[in-house]
Amino acid sequence: MKLSSDKVIRGPERAPNRSLFYALGYTTEELNRPLIGIVSAFSEVVPGHMMLDKLSDAVKTGVSMAGGTPILVPAIGVCDGIAMGHVGMKYSLPSRELIADSVETMAIAHGFDALVLVPNCDKIVPGMIMGALRVNLPTILVSGGPMLAGYSEEKSLTLSNMFEGVGAFKANLINEKELEEMEKNVCPSCGSCAGMYTANSMNCLSEAIGLALSGNGTIPAVYSRRIQLGKEAGMKIMDLLENDICIRDIINEKSIENAIACDMALGCSSNSVLHLLAIANEAKVDLDLNKFNEISEKVPNLCHLAPAGPHHMEQLYHAGGVSAVLKELMDNDLLNDDCITCTGETVKEKLRDAKIKNNTIIREFNNPYSSTGGIAILFGNIAKNGCVVKRSAVDDSMLKHQGKAKVFNSEDEAIDAIYNGKIVAGDIVVILYEGPKGGPGMREMLNPTSALAGMKLDKSVALITDGRFSGASRGASIGHVSPEAASGGEVGLIKDGDLISIDIPNYSINLMVSDEELDARRKEFKVKENKVEGYLDRYRKLVQGADKGAILK
């Protein structure tokens, strides 16, 4: 079998290269084995990554047990919760591209024969997958796993409750002591935050797309089963290498459709749309937003995990996990079950023993939370290229809504208005210049959505933005409006007091002014530009719209 590493360590011409491996402590026997890159995002600043050193060690053990030579290399990772609500969040989505570039760079520069990806949180999962797709080696992903739910006064909590607690405090619904009690108990362990937020969404979808072993999305980070999963992934990568099953054999048009179907059934983060579009781009698959609505019309929403409902990731794990959800879809002809997976088996073979163990946590096909999926793409005269809402986290009373706009040119302006009681029931908050170019960086805006929820306004106030919302957001939070204001999009033409009509069941969103008025406003419209330097300046020049996954070109 010809290996990528041959060009790095084989033959007399590569004696200088080998000498550097010997400097690292490798032996001749190790260099005669396949070189497996273990890409780890371990750090001491992300709760979801603080234990990835242990998981990476487990992966290395598995690789060695199966006859490979594991080589650990790093990847960066931003903690979205820590970056939330300030300029740091502008770097979160752009970090996805840095991660993809680094995986590509490290794999090719060092001639790795295969890759094991060890991420956990938000942008790190799709970033690693994107980079791996570029080099198209045998690849498997094993994530760090979800955090356990927190508890305060016998109520189960997770990070979204904490952000909503700030809104409740601002509205004098709780006191400072109660707020402090929450902050010290809401995140009780390592792992990605315990709801169906972006990190856990992408880790679950990694299973659905076929790149991760069963349990990847749901086994709690603190469980010893997670370490075993790491060892199994390390051993399994050697099978993929031997059978020449590369990542583009696994991720293709059909498996991406499976991931979207799982997305709809689970009620994943709206950010999953951005990341699946970007992953499809690297896989050379033509994917547009209409596919999400097409699949949503067929796939019911079977789970209501936080913030959409009261359940947490550990409960999903004990109820049968992602495999049980996928089996329910497969049994109702909603999956492409002939896709190859990282086990070397087809989807049908991989799911043969899966079953729902708790039909309160995972509802059966004939008793869904809704007959349509958890994500909806809306189109209209202020979102000609589409916008995204997590439909499963919207109260029924807000699925169809009309209200008057209150327009802000940044998240900071909007949150100030919310905290100071300037937003009232019936309003539609419009936040501009937070898109990929306008921000730049398309920062998540959990603070305004959580403030409204904490103030008990999430069932009467909608939010619309060309930026995006955290997976922890709930309510009628409509993001990714494309084209964005900074690109001259019609969303930038909205004025205070304009009536906006939102119709989620019919996938529409419209500004209720005449075409003639819009034309007049368009002629007077001047784009506002946020001045930035460094990486964000370069990012703004290259980034595409949210409807394209905010990829760089």
Side-chain angles (χ1 to χ4, degrees):
M1 177 173 59
K2 186 171 179 58
L3 298 172
S4 299
S5 59
D6 288 349
K7 61 181 177 288
V8 176
I9 56 177
R10 299 284 174 259
E13 298 83 4
R14 293 293 171 251
N17 309 62
R18 290 193 296 275
S19 71
L20 293 168
F21 278 99
Y22 292 134
L24 288 162
Y26 291 102
T27 64
T28 302
E29 290 78 9
E30 287 174 300
L31 297 187
N32 285 332
R33 298 175 176 180
L35 305 185
I36 311 300
I38 315 298
V39 187
S40 173
F42 165 73
S43 77
E44 295 182 344
V45 74
V46 186
H49 291 192
M50 61 185 285
M51 69 300 179
L52 293 187
D53 56 340
K54 306 295 188 299
L55 183 60
S56 299
D57 284 344
V59 172
K60 291 171 66 178
T61 297
V63 169
S64 296
M65 288 166 62
T69 296
I71 301 177
L72 186 69
V73 295
I76 66 166
V78 170
C79 178
D80 279 15
I82 293 174
M84 195 73 66
H86 59 90
V87 67
M89 180 46 74
K90 292 178 183 286
Y91 286 85
S92 177
L93 182 60
S95 74
R96 186 187 72 183
E97 314 311 310
L98 294 174
I99 293 162
D101 289 349
S102 68
V103 171
E104 173 192 356
T105 299
M106 296 300 282
I108 294 177
H110 302 102
F112 293 147
D113 298 308
L115 296 172
V116 182
L117 310 177
V118 190
N120 204 24
C121 293
D122 295 48
K123 315 309 162 300
I124 300 89
V125 178
M128 285 192 183
I129 295 172
M130 290 162 64
L133 280 163
R134 294 177 192 171
V135 298
N136 195 30
L137 294 170
T139 303
I140 195 168
L141 182 145
V142 56
S143 70
M147 185 183 288
L148 297 177
Y151 286 88
S152 180
E153 297 180 355
E154 298 184 355
K155 293 181 180 178
S156 60
L157 301 170
T158 188
L159 188 64
S160 55
N161 301 106
M162 190 66 251
F163 279 89
E164 291 174 14
V166 175
F169 175 73
K170 294 284 186 179
N172 296 315
L173 298 176
I174 63 173
N175 60 38
E176 189 171 356
K177 185 177 180 180
E178 291 171 308
L179 185 68
E180 183 180 4
E181 169 75 10
M182 285 181 68
E183 72 182 71
K184 290 184 176 178
N185 291 283
V186 74
C187 295
S189 75
C190 61
S192 48
C193 299
M196 188 54 79
Y197 310 145
T198 306
N200 292 323
S201 294
M202 295 311 300
N203 286 323
C204 289
L205 297 186
S206 295
E207 278 190 58
I209 213 166
L211 194 62
L213 297 173
S214 296
N216 179 74
T218 56
I219 299 169
V222 297
Y223 281 19
S224 298
R225 180 72 190 97
R226 178 64 57 175
I227 297 298
Q228 295 166 354
L229 191 74
K231 292 176 182 177
E232 291 165 4
M235 290 186 282
K236 188 57 66 176
I237 193 62
M238 300 307 296
D239 290 340
L240 293 177
L241 178 61
E242 182 178 350
N243 292 297
D244 194 28
I245 299 174
C246 296
I247 188 171
R248 288 193 203 166
D249 298 316
I250 295 171
I251 298 182
N252 51 47
E253 183 176 5
K254 285 187 175 182
S255 67
I256 290 171
E257 288 177 352
N258 286 348
I260 297 173
C262 183
D263 194 331
M264 296 301 169
L266 286 174
C268 290
S269 164
S270 57
N271 285 314
S272 63
V273 176
L274 271 180
H275 299 320
L276 288 174
L277 288 168
I279 287 168
N281 175 69
E282 299 292 354
K284 313 301 181 187
V285 171
D286 185 18
L287 176 66
D288 69 35
L289 289 172
N290 290 295
K291 176 63 71 174
F292 290 85
N293 285 346
E294 177 188 321
I295 293 175
S296 177
E297 284 295 314
K298 301 175 184 176
V299 178
N301 179 225
L302 304 180
C303 300
H304 261 194
L305 293 116
H311 306 137
H312 299 98
M313 296 304 296
E314 63 204 80
Q315 294 170 286
L316 179 59
Y317 169 60
H318 291 294
V322 175
S323 292
V325 175
L326 292 174
K327 181 68 158 49
E328 190 72 4
L329 297 182
M330 185 178 72
D331 288 347
N332 287 278
D333 297 321
L334 292 171
L335 283 188
N336 299 305
D337 62 11
D338 58 344
C339 293
I340 196 73
T341 72
C342 64
T343 65
E345 302 169 298
T346 64
V347 169
K348 186 174 184 177
E349 292 167 335
K350 185 183 178 188
L351 297 176
R352 58 181 171 269
D353 296 324
K355 62 180 180 180
I356 296 174
K357 299 176 182 178
N358 183 326
N359 58 18
T360 299
I361 309 300
I362 304 172
R363 290 195 176 183
E364 294 170 344
F365 181 81
N366 59 5
N367 182 38
Y369 282 100
S370 65
S371 60
T372 50
I375 296 285
I377 312 298
L378 314 183
F379 295 90
N381 63 1
I382 53 171
K384 292 182 176 179
N385 294 344
C387 57
V388 182
V389 63
K390 185 172 180 175
R391 170 167 43 189
S392 60
V394 179
D395 188 78
D396 287 348
S397 65
M398 292 293 288
L399 290 172
K400 291 187 177 184
H401 178 71
Q402 284 195 358
K404 290 185 177 181
K406 288 187 177 176
V407 183
F408 305 93
N409 285 333
S410 71
E411 176 192 11
D412 309 272
E413 291 180 15
I415 196 69
D416 182 69
I418 294 169
Y419 283 161
N420 286 290
K422 296 178 181 178
I423 305 300
V424 298
D427 285 344
I428 295 182
V429 176
V430 179
I431 306 175
L432 305 176
Y433 298 104
E434 291 288 2
K437 288 184 182 294
M442 204 182 183
R443 59 179 167 172
E444 288 183 353
M445 289 178 278
L446 180 55
N447 283 9
T449 59
S450 298
L452 291 172
M455 293 174 173
K456 310 300 182 185
L457 290 171
D458 57 298
K459 295 180 181 179
S460 59
V461 172
L463 292 95
I464 298 171
T465 182
D466 52 11
R468 59 198 180 93
F469 296 109
S470 167
S473 293
R474 62 186 173 98
S477 304
I478 300 166
H480 309 195
V481 174
S482 300
E484 62 177 297
S487 295
E490 284 75 6
V491 67
L493 305 181
I494 302 173
K495 294 184 176 181
D496 282 341
D498 283 346
L499 191 65
I500 298 174
S501 175
I502 299 166
D503 187 344
I504 295 173
N506 290 303
Y507 305 111
S508 74
I509 182 168
N510 284 288
L511 181 63
M512 307 302 285
V513 302
S514 67
D515 291 342
E516 292 77 12
E517 174 63 17
L518 278 179
D519 287 339
R521 292 184 188 183
R522 195 175 288 109
K523 291 174 183 176
E524 299 176 357
F525 180 60
K526 292 182 180 180
V527 171
K528 171 181 172 289
E529 184 173 300
N530 294 321
K531 292 184 179 180
V532 290
E533 297 178 344
Y535 176 50
L536 289 182
D537 187 40
R538 285 182 280 129
Y539 179 84
R540 176 165 54 194
K541 292 172 182 175
L542 297 172
V543 71
Q544 305 300 294
D547 59 304
K548 303 297 183 186
I551 58 173
L552 299 188
K553 278 195 176 180

